[in-house]
Amino acid sequence: MGRYILRRLGFYLIAAWASLTLNFVIPRLAPGDPAAAMFARFEGKVAPEAMGALKAAFGFTDAPLYAQYLTYLKHLVQGDLGMSYAYFPARVSEVIGTGLMWTVGLAGVAVIISFVAGSFLGVLAAWNRGGWLDSGLAPALAFLGAFPYFWLAMLALYLFGFVLGWFPLRHAYGHDMEPGLSFAFAADVARHAVLPASSIVVATLGGWMLGMRNTMVATLGTDSIRLAHARGLPPRQVMLRYAARNALLPNVTSFGMAVGFVLSGSLLTEIVFSYPGTGYLLILAVRNQDYPLMQGLFLVITLAVLAANFAVDLLCLWLDPRTRAHA
Amino acid sequence: MRFARALLPLALLVACSSEPRPRPPGVLFVSVEQQSAWVRNFNPLFAGAGARWPTRAGVYECMEIFSSAQGRWVPWLATGHAWSEDQLTLRFHLRDGVRWSDGKPFTADDVVFTFHLLKQHAALDAGGVWRFLTDVKAETQGTVAFTFSRVYLPGFSDLAHQIIVPQHVWKDIADPVTFTNPEPVATGPFTQVTLFRNQVYELGRNPHYWQPGKPAVSALRFLAFPTNDQANMALVEGEVDWAGNFVPAVDRTFVSRDPAHHARWFPLYGSTVFLYPNTTRPPLDDVRVRKALSMALDRDRLVEVAMYGYTRPADATALNDAYTGWKDADVAKDAWTRYDLDAANKLLDEAGLTRGADGLRRLKDGQPFTMDLEVVSGWSDWVRAGQVVGRDLRKLGIGVTLKTYEFGTWFTRLQKGEFQLAISWSLDGPTPYNFYKWLLSPRTVRPVGEVAAANWHRMGDAQADELLMRFERAGTPEEQHALMSQVQRRFSAVAPAIPLFPNPSWGESNSSRFTGFPTEQNPYARLAPHAEPDSLLVLTELSPRER
């Protein structure tokens, strides 16, 4: 088993290197000149004579690609992500720092809630096939999930924030709050997170529920479950420990992916609810051809996807004795 | 179900505690920049880079301020200036008793130091002042003398508007270009960063401000809004006191909600938007063709569709309303910017571009006359303008395809002259000198393939340039106005680019908590907070109703 884990680790290291390299190459293949885009935002406020000096200040070089690549790797190892063009002269790490925690917090919690609740509802729906949960809630959630997210979020904001005034209209916490480890601040953050988090949950719950329900239905038809029933085990134990545990595996795998993609940002959530986060930074980086910021964000996303998948591998190892046998 | 029942009280608890937060009295809420999170940067010297507003006109200050709304210079850190007899030396007389926010006195040495910084770090010299300067020195504690390499009177505005930084702080900064200046020491009304978080920052009063009793506003607070929609919602709800956003149907959505306090003022002080023809590509090198394109445009419709009627069609001088005093009324009446399809058709016939059987006009080599019109994707006002232009030109028998590009790509193509038609802005200044120089002067023409700061249409007129060079040396207002009239005549004759409409300068105010915003009746500055350095005039004028 130790060898299995080591092998997986090795695989993830190679995958990390490959994606870091792609991360370096792809922005450089894109059309357009970042220096020109930079210059553009000054709308003629900068004399053309200042352009050369400007390029030097931004660190644009004409060095050969392999040299740029080596510098890139060296800086990465040192944890230096460079200077953002769009937020010049702020460091990329500082820019990402403004949103990373909030994205992880909001989208992470929302994805976990959605996964746990969706899977549980799926189990119940399959167990009571044809019940109101199965024939009522499941289609209703699938219906909600099919709405464009943007529209759903705007509607929630308008209804619960603007018209009813139950929840704040924007931001992760009130602008007069002192961030810190106080109960008041935590309550304020929670209050601000309700609308954005529930909009994500509502939009994704149906997917988890349906996925879980379908594998559960298949599992329930297997001989092992029939045997468990025949042996007179309590139904709750059959449902959770025998059927659900087996049916959960595919869902756990997709959960790994979903957690990884949390960081690429719930862009629309952030825009609708003015929530700080990395999704908005990513779109801004693309618009401004801010390569260092783009690379920094992709790096964070890549590492998160890989780490999440590694965690899922370990989780499957625990959930599924068969993987242990192969390992 | 037990789960849901457990959640219900929690949800109610959370919901009930939501009331509009009281806002501290005297704190002005402003929405200028649109960002999802704030990054701490108060570097005033690096123009246009990511410094937080109002670093360049509020935290730091310049020597004199041109108020385009008043059409005059307002003395600021300098009480005045004087040219030498030969017009090669310009002396600024600095104000007595000005102190930096750390209490140290502001002197001529700070001004000299700032200009030397620009010389050492060309990236900071946005106005390119060292193209015409040879020396800067402090003659006394209160007098700075600038020596010019040639007579260049328009250089005054670049010098007067230069932001001044304190020598005793900046002399120790290793690289002033990449310095983020987290704790600014400055002369402006608001210098103390009292709060800086990802969603909000606040600037407090300068304890040593040189205008007694000012600013009356105790602090400026900025909430992060990632897009226009969020900022507009806060404005409509009264959470923001001052903003410079584009608000659709502003009178209905904003002003009518509280007509006594909600106000908007969109004067046409923004840069004129042009349809730029690439004059290096025939037949756009032919003035008859350019004028024909211009006369085919139904500008009334254009401003209605593209700008919701917030502006007016450009006239033949192309000047915006900030230059009303310079405008030559006769030139403005010239016909080539008025809608006249028959005349336009006639001009193209004369130019030898006759219609083919399919209704499309043919170039001299027999190819159909088709062009791409390039705009920035997502800049919806220009995209709509491009659609109207395209439709109007098709009536003239010209095939126009609207192409949208990401900003960077679009701008690179524009700067390098690799386009046929494009919509873009124009450059401004206190006088129309800069505006026409970048439209007409051969000195601003760069070869195709080389990056040009403006004059993207690549057109130079020797006669106009001669007039502009005389303007650089013209000392009296009579002389200046006479020359500028001739320049306008030349512009109208040559038609280097096709003016569409002047841009409004967007500004909205809510006077329920603060008074003193500029209005159409009291136009002491532009209302748009983006308008630098006008914002200094506004920030020192506002005062809270509640104390």
Side-chain angles (χ1 to χ4, degrees):
Chain A
M1 192 156 119
R3 267 193 54 208
Y4 171 79
I5 293 177
L6 274 182
R7 234 179 27 230
R8 298 303 298 165
L9 254 177
F11 165 78
Y12 283 118
L13 277 180
I14 293 175
W17 171 77
S19 46
L20 289 184
T21 306
L22 283 177
N23 194 3
F24 170 81
V25 173
I26 290 173
R28 280 166 178 77
L29 294 178
D33 174 1
M38 195 60 227
F39 190 29
R41 293 193 295 124
F42 306 146
E43 296 206 352
K45 281 184 232 151
V46 173
E49 285 81 358
M51 268 306 281
L54 212 61
K55 283 191 176 181
F58 278 106
F60 293 116
T61 62
D62 296 324
L65 266 190
Y66 75 89
Q68 290 185 36
Y69 180 61
L70 289 180
T71 340
Y72 163 76
L73 286 184
K74 196 176 102 204
H75 286 171
L76 270 190
V77 172
Q78 294 165 347
D80 176 9
L81 298 175
M83 237 178 247
S84 160
Y85 300 163
Y87 290 98
F88 189 85
R91 315 291 309 178
V92 166
S93 41
E94 188 195 338
V95 176
I96 296 181
T98 62
L100 188 61
M101 196 180 85
W102 296 103
T103 296
V104 171
L106 176 76
V109 167
V111 166
I112 290 172
I113 290 179
S114 181
F115 169 74
V116 172
S119 301
F120 189 67
L121 288 175
V123 169
L124 289 182
W127 190 255
N128 307 308
R129 262 181 94 182
W132 69 269
L133 212 56
D134 195 24
S135 48
L137 189 64
L141 282 178
F143 183 66
L144 273 181
F147 278 113
Y149 173 77
F150 196 67
W151 184 85
L152 208 65
M154 288 289 255
L155 189 73
L157 182 70
Y158 181 72
L159 206 62
F160 299 108
F162 197 75
V163 177
L164 295 170
W166 290 0
F167 297 104
L169 293 173
R170 66 183 72 88
H171 288 168
Y173 53 89
H175 53 81
D176 48 1
M177 293 298 292
E178 185 65 44
L181 286 174
S182 66
F183 176 76
F185 180 67
D188 196 52
V189 169
R191 208 162 62 79
H192 280 78
V194 172
L195 273 189
S198 26
S199 72
I200 300 178
V201 169
V202 165
T204 53
L205 193 62
W208 295 118
M209 181 176 175
L210 277 184
M212 189 65 197
R213 178 202 169 270
N214 293 347
T215 38
M216 184 79 178
V217 166
T219 314
L220 285 177
T222 55
D223 292 340
S224 60
I225 300 300
R226 218 166 293 147
L227 180 71
H229 279 301
R231 287 176 61 182
L233 290 173
R236 178 171 289 219
Q237 199 175 352
V238 176
M239 174 174 90
L240 292 177
R241 294 206 43 194
Y242 288 71
R245 184 167 170 176
N246 277 324
L248 198 58
L249 287 171
N251 245 20
V252 166
T253 313
S254 17
F255 178 66
M257 300 301 287
V259 167
F261 287 120
V262 159
L263 283 187
S264 60
S266 356
L267 169 67
L268 296 178
T269 319
E270 285 164 23
I271 287 189
V272 173
F273 299 99
S274 305
Y275 212 85
T278 49
Y280 181 82
L281 290 178
L282 190 59
I283 199 92
L284 194 101
V286 171
R287 255 192 231 150
N288 289 297
Q289 291 174 316
D290 187 345
Y291 294 167
L293 183 56
M294 244 187 277
Q295 283 176 344
L297 286 166
F298 283 139
L299 176 75
V300 172
I301 294 167
T302 309
L303 295 183
V305 172
L306 293 176
N309 277 293
F310 186 59
V312 163
D313 277 353
L314 295 182
L315 192 64
C316 284
L317 215 54
W318 171 72
L319 274 176
D320 186 358
R322 281 169 300 185
T323 42
R324 258 172 283 167
H326 286 297
Chain B
M1 282 307 96
R2 236 183 306 153
F3 179 63
R5 242 173 289 145
L7 267 183
L8 195 64
L10 181 71
L12 284 177
L13 177 96
V14 160
C16 292
S17 56
S18 169
E19 283 134 31
R21 288 162 189 281
R23 288 184 298 157
V27 176
L28 181 80
F29 283 65
V30 192
S31 167
V32 183
E33 305 171 273
Q34 287 169 6
Q35 299 270 319
S36 69
W38 300 123
V39 172
R40 191 164 185 154
N41 175 8
F42 295 97
N43 182 334
L45 291 181
F46 194 38
R52 296 282 68 76
W53 191 88
T55 305
R56 292 175 56 79
V59 178
Y60 289 87
E61 296 179 319
C62 54
M63 290 191 282
E64 295 189 38
I65 294 174
F66 183 74
S67 165
S68 49
Q70 301 176 52
R72 69 179 187 98
W73 286 89
V74 182
W76 211 252
L77 287 179
T79 50
H81 64 272
W83 286 97
S84 64
E85 198 66 23
D86 60 3
Q87 297 184 323
L88 282 171
T89 307
L90 175 64
R91 288 189 179 79
F92 280 93
H93 305 294
L94 303 183
R95 190 178 293 279
D96 270 343
V98 176
R99 282 195 285 167
W100 296 101
S101 52
D102 60 0
K104 297 223 167 65
F106 160 81
T107 69
D109 291 334
D110 293 310
V111 178
V112 172
F113 171 79
T114 302
F115 279 92
H116 280 153
L117 267 187
L118 304 195
K119 193 178 190 177
Q120 285 160 23
H121 303 274
L124 302 180
D125 189 6
V129 295
W130 285 97
R131 275 176 303 167
F132 55 80
L133 283 184
T134 53
D135 192 27
V136 181
K137 59 176 185 291
E139 290 185 336
T140 67
Q141 276 304 304
T143 313
V144 185
F146 293 87
T147 314
F148 282 59
S149 58
R150 61 185 166 99
V151 177
Y152 182 65
L153 299 182
F156 161 72
S157 66
D158 293 308
L159 302 180
H161 274 166
Q162 175 59 46
I163 283 155
I164 308 298
V165 297
Q167 179 176 23
H168 65 275
V169 176
W170 286 70
K171 68 179 162 45
D172 301 321
I173 305 303
D175 185 356
V177 180
T178 58
F179 178 47
T180 56
N181 195 21
E183 298 289 347
V185 173
T187 58
F190 297 96
T191 53
Q192 310 306 105
V193 186
T194 47
L195 185 70
F196 204 99
R197 294 197 210 110
N198 60 353
Q199 296 179 148
V200 57
Y201 66 95
E202 186 180 278
L203 293 174
R205 272 195 279 241
N206 177 354
H208 300 288
Y209 196 51
W210 53 272
Q211 297 193 51
K214 290 188 172 182
V217 173
S218 62
L220 308 175
R221 198 177 278 200
F222 305 88
L223 305 182
F225 302 110
T227 66
N228 231 355
D229 296 337
Q230 274 77 24
N232 289 345
M233 189 153 72
L235 181 71
V236 168
E237 284 294 284
E239 283 180 271
V240 163
D241 303 303
W242 186 23
N245 309 329
F246 169 72
V247 183
V250 66
D251 292 321
R252 184 166 53 80
T253 54
F254 173 63
V255 179
S256 71
R257 277 178 79 100
D258 184 0
H261 299 117
H262 290 191
R264 62 101 171 172
W265 184 34
F266 297 166
L268 303 178
Y269 293 157
S271 82
T272 300
V273 174
F274 278 84
L275 174 66
Y276 286 101
N278 187 339
T279 60
T280 62
R281 298 201 184 177
L284 296 174
D285 55 345
D286 186 335
V287 61
R288 288 172 299 185
V289 175
R290 294 197 297 272
K291 288 194 169 172
L293 298 186
S294 176
M295 292 171 96
L297 302 181
D298 183 356
R299 287 182 177 74
D300 288 316
R301 230 189 112 59
L302 186 80
V303 298
E304 208 48 57
V305 171
M307 301 299 291
Y308 300 104
Y310 287 142
T311 178
R312 59 164 171 84
D315 59 41
T317 66
L319 291 174
N320 69 30
D321 289 357
Y323 302 124
T324 307
W326 295 93
K327 192 179 281 188
D328 186 312
D330 289 337
V331 177
K333 282 190 223 123
D334 282 359
W336 68 280
T337 51
R338 283 208 300 273
Y339 183 45
D340 187 345
L341 202 54
D342 294 336
N345 272 313
K346 205 180 288 171
L347 273 175
L348 284 189
D349 291 340
E350 274 172 39
L353 304 166
T354 47
R355 276 183 198 264
D358 55 358
L360 269 187
R361 290 185 182 271
R362 292 287 183 274
L363 298 176
K364 300 251 163 67
D365 60 3
Q367 292 295 314
F369 188 8
T370 58
M371 288 185 285
D372 288 344
L373 169 57
E374 304 188 0
V375 291
V376 183
S377 66
W379 290 19
S380 50
D381 46 349
W382 290 8
V383 173
R384 287 192 301 269
Q387 285 161 344
V388 175
V389 167
R391 215 186 33 212
D392 285 350
L393 293 187
R394 278 190 282 273
K395 282 187 207 144
L396 202 59
I398 302 171
V400 172
T401 315
L402 187 68
K403 292 232 163 136
T404 60
Y405 292 93
E406 267 305 307
F407 183 86
T409 315
W410 169 83
F411 197 60
T412 309
R413 296 173 61 86
L414 186 73
Q415 288 184 310
K416 292 190 172 169
E418 291 162 353
F419 66 97
Q420 287 166 299
L421 287 177
I423 292 178
S424 186
W425 62 81
S426 50
L427 302 195
D428 278 322
T431 68
Y433 166 82
N434 249 333
F435 177 71
Y436 286 124
K437 186 176 102 177
W438 286 100
L439 282 167
L440 270 173
S441 165
R443 287 175 287 162
T444 59
V445 178
R446 299 274 173 281
V448 168
E450 203 175 284
V451 167
N455 201 340
W456 303 298
H457 50 289
R458 287 167 162 75
M459 172 92 209
D461 178 63
Q463 277 188 50
D465 204 38
E466 209 254 303
L467 294 167
L468 287 168
M469 282 200 270
R470 278 168 58 195
F471 185 87
E472 291 172 5
R473 297 188 297 268
T476 67
E478 296 74 34
E479 218 182 324
Q480 290 179 342
H481 279 86
L483 281 166
M484 210 34 91
S485 278
Q486 284 177 272
V487 173
Q488 291 170 48
R489 194 145 305 174
R490 228 21 239 165
F491 171 80
S492 182
V494 174
I498 300 159
L500 298 178
F501 49 82
N503 250 332
S505 143
W506 313 108
E508 300 91 19
S509 62
N510 180 347
S511 58
S512 53
R513 298 173 67 237
F514 293 88
T515 57
F517 289 104
T519 59
E520 203 165 351
Q521 289 74 38
N522 180 21
Y524 68 88
R526 284 176 282 182
L527 180 59
H530 311 268
E532 292 170 350
D534 292 36
S535 50
L536 269 170
L537 301 174
V538 184
L539 287 173
T540 48
E541 191 61 34
L542 296 178
S543 61
R545 285 183 191 272
E546 45 200 284
R547 301 249 172 189

